Every structure is written in structure tokens, then in C-alpha cells.
Amino acid sequence: MKKIKKIKSGFIGRQIFAAKTLFKILPDLLPTKFKGPEQLIKKILGDNIQPFIDEVSSLKGPALKAAQMLTIYGEYYLPKEVNEILKQIQANSFYLDWHSLKKDIPEAILLKFEIDESPMAAASIGQVHKAKNKLTGEIVAIKIQYPKIDKAIDIDLNILKRLLSLLRILPGNLNLSKIFEEIKNKLIDEMNYKEEAKNQHEYKLAAKDLTGVYVPQVFLKDCTSKILVQEYIHGVLLSSEKVLERDQDYRNKIGIKIFQLFFHEIYVMGLVQSDAHAGNYLVIEKEVGEATVVLVDFGACVHYSKKTLRPYLELIESVFNNDKIKYIKTFAKIEKESQGQYQIDRDLLFDYFKLCVSPLHSSDFDWGQTSLPDQVYQLGISIFKNSKIDNPPYQYIFIDRKIAGVFSLLKMLRARFDVLAVVSPYFIKD
Ligand SMILES: Nc1ncnc2c1ncn2[C@@H]1O[C@H](COP(=O)(O)OP(=O)(O)O)[C@@H](O)[C@H]1O
Ligand SMILES: [Mg+2]
């Protein structure tokens, strides 16, 4: 990790970086010169990619979150070499100097805890320090938000919006403003650690019946909008070699837990931690060979009522059961609820969804080997190209994002298991 003294949280620093980036591709944006987004991304990165990686990594904030989100999708939608580069844009590569960070920490926290000056992890909008409660000796993990990073939201989103439309990556008929509005609200929520702490507390309670999954205890009274204090977990990151180099059986068990937790979220808890990337999963081993999956980072939690989730689940199940009549009915219900107008080939869409849920039928699905994402992508492109969707059900975006994330994790783990056995206990009973 490299140390930085100050984060460019203001308009000018971030804008200059965006302008410099744009300048590189300006000539290629002319309609006659445009050769597709991949070409542009390659050009932006240039021959020596390190400076670009370093700049985005040290910007922190929403820009970095966006890059992380992109890698989830990039796994399937971007050329391999581009995604490899995006993956290197890691929150972890830069951390803010203790003296700059300390200024914003409340006196009460500094009095109560003895905080390690070097962080154990640096993240996108804050960094995590190990600390000791001076009175009880208890070891905690304190997440401290970077000063003024909240100011970067509008700046970064505006830059990103312009970049996306220039790069022409997204289908033209998508209502970008509405999506960005959602993302902005989510980012504002994510920057309030007090809310995150409440989510974590609630999530811990809601997930308590699921064995093999653990959520660290959060100390609500010590938390503020910029400080989150929680139980320290002595574990290893899911993406570390210590996990990925274990035997098949061990990795399968972890994969099952991650997958099961997702179904638990949408069927039982009504609470989805939508940020399923490898940095948010730790593994502990209380007994040899028995892994417990620890989930951290509840900034991007979405609450769903039973009423909101029901049509989504019914849609999955009608497709799963090859029940086209039920599918058509449920689809119409979703369209009505979101006051939308979907001009889309429903037969083709049925086939598309069938492909998406196909792993659920499998008693031995190999997540490391499957070409399913490619197939889904190919079919998706051909369907959505010829359709017009006003008011898509935005409330489900975060579930889709979660699914993409879970898929990448299972792929990374090269997990292989009986998917049907994991999901069938959850299916709607009435
Ligand atoms: N309770 C904890 N115990 C040990 N390590 C933790 C704990 N919480 C977070 N971490 C470490 O800090 C990193 C960043 O924390 P996270 O909450 O994911 O921050 P961000 O919201 O910025 O992504 C995690 O990837 C993990 O390595
Ligand atoms: Mg995180």
C-alpha cells in the first residue's frame, strides 16, 4: 500500500483527471472514427497502464466504487485484457496518512480506543484500522471515512454519465437519468456509516438462523455517520490464495454458503447486501476444514417488502417450472406495478429467463467451467436490441447486481455443487 497525504475530493482535481482522459480519445469519438467502446477503453488505458490505475485508485470515492462495479459486469461484458486491468484498480493500493485522517475522528473515539496508525485495509470511501478498547481490551475494527469524500458524489457521477454516453456502451433507449438518480441515492446512503451500522445490526439478526454464515457484531453506540466500530474478525479474504488453493470440497462448501445466503436474502430476510464482491467476504475456520463465511460491508443494503419481492420470485419460479401462462401473468403484474410499457418479445424473453435460471435445475453445476454468462449475454443483446422498455422495474436492479456478483464469486472459487438441493427448500409453498 502506498501512502497519500490528501484525497482530491474537490471539483478541480477530479475534473482535470476526467478532462485528461477524455482528451486522449476525443478524435475517436467522431461518428466516422468510432470503432466501439472496447477500442476507446484500450486507448484510454494506453501502453503503460500503471499511471491510469494509480490515478483512479487514489481518487477514491464514487469513481473507485464505479470501477469496482464495472469489474463485476466486466467479467462477462468486457474483453479479458481490459477487465484484468480494471481489477487492478484496487481500493487497497492507497491509504490516507494517519495525521490527515485523525483530524476528523471524534475525541470520544480517540479516548476510548487505542487505534493502530497504519490501516489493515483501505477501501473506497474510508479505511479500516484495528483498535483496542482501552477499558475492556477488546479488539475492534474501526472504519473511518475519508474527510469530505461525500462532496465527490455529484462530480464523479456527472463525469461518469458523460463518459458513458460518449463511449456509447449502454443501449440508447435506457433512461440513464433515472438510473443515475437511484445510484446517487444509494451512494448518499452508503456514505452514512450510522445507517450502515443499523443495516449490519439488522442483517445479523435476520441471518442468525443460517449456519456457516457470520456477521460481525457492530457497536452502534460508538458509530457516527463517519465512524463504524465493529467486532474484529481474524479471517482471510475470500479472494486470497489461502482460500482459492484449498481442495475442491472446501471451496464447494464456501460456494454453497454464498449461494444459499443469497436465496435466504430474497426469500426469507427481505434484505439484500447488494455489493457482492470478493473484498466483502472473509473466511474463518473455527474447526479444521469447516469454513464459516463472514460477510462485511453493509453500505449497499436494500430492504424489500414481501409485496415487492413476491412478483420477482414468482417470475423466477414460473420460468423454472416452465409454466408460461403463469410467467405471462406475472410479467404483466410487474409491468403494471412499475407503470411501465414493455415492448418486448415475451416468448424470446421466456427463453432468455430459462437460460438464466438453468443452473437451478442442476444437481452438479460447475461454476468455474460454465459458458452460461456468454450465452446469456449473446441472447440478451439480440432480444433487448429490438425492444423498448419504459420504466423497467428499477427496484430489482440491485438484485440483478447481486446475482452478477455472486456468479463471479462462485466462478472465482471454481465451486461445483448440487444447486437444486440448495434452492428447492426456499421455493414458495402455497
Ligand atoms: N470486522 C472486520 N474484521 C476484519 N476485517 C474487516 C472487518 N470489516 C472490514 N474488514 C476489512 O476491511 C476491508 C474494507 O471494509 P469494507 O467494510 O468492505 O469497506 P468499504 O465499504 O469501503 O468497501 C474489508 O475488505 C476487510 O478486509
Ligand atoms: Mg467493501
Side-chain angles (χ1 to χ4, degrees), residues 65 68 91-92 120-129 140-143 190 193 196 200 216-217 228 230-235 237 275 277-282 294-299:
K65 279 238 175 265
Q68 281 177 348
N92 242 331
M120 49 188 234
S124 45
I125 58 166
Q127 60 197 35
V128 181
H129 289 248
V140 296
I142 304 189
K143 183 151 84 170
E190 276 190 42
Y193 284 173
E196 177 171 338
Q200 183 164 345
Q217 193 194 340
L228 194 149
Q230 62 178 309
E231 168 190 3
Y232 171 78
I233 300 295
H234 193 76
L237 271 179
D275 200 4
H277 80 88
N280 293 338
Y281 292 79
L282 303 169
V294 181
L295 191 61
V296 297
D297 195 351
F298 297 83

Side-chain angles (χ1 to χ4, degrees), residues 65-96:
K65 279 238 175 265
Q68 281 177 348
M69 265 194 220
L70 255 177
T71 52
I72 291 182
Y73 294 108
E75 192 75 47
Y76 311 111
Y77 299 158
L78 292 175
K80 276 217 164 43
E81 59 270 34
V82 173
N83 204 47
E84 279 311 306
I85 293 161
L86 277 176
K87 271 193 195 157
Q88 294 180 47
I89 301 179
Q90 290 279 337
N92 242 331
S93 45
F94 288 90
Y95 72 96
L96 187 63

Side-chain angles (χ1 to χ4, degrees), residues 177-189:
S177 307
K178 186 114 187 228
I179 293 178
F180 267 80
E181 192 64 35
E182 287 261 2
I183 295 179
K184 182 177 165 176
N185 289 335
K186 273 276 142 333
L187 283 172
I188 293 174
D189 288 349

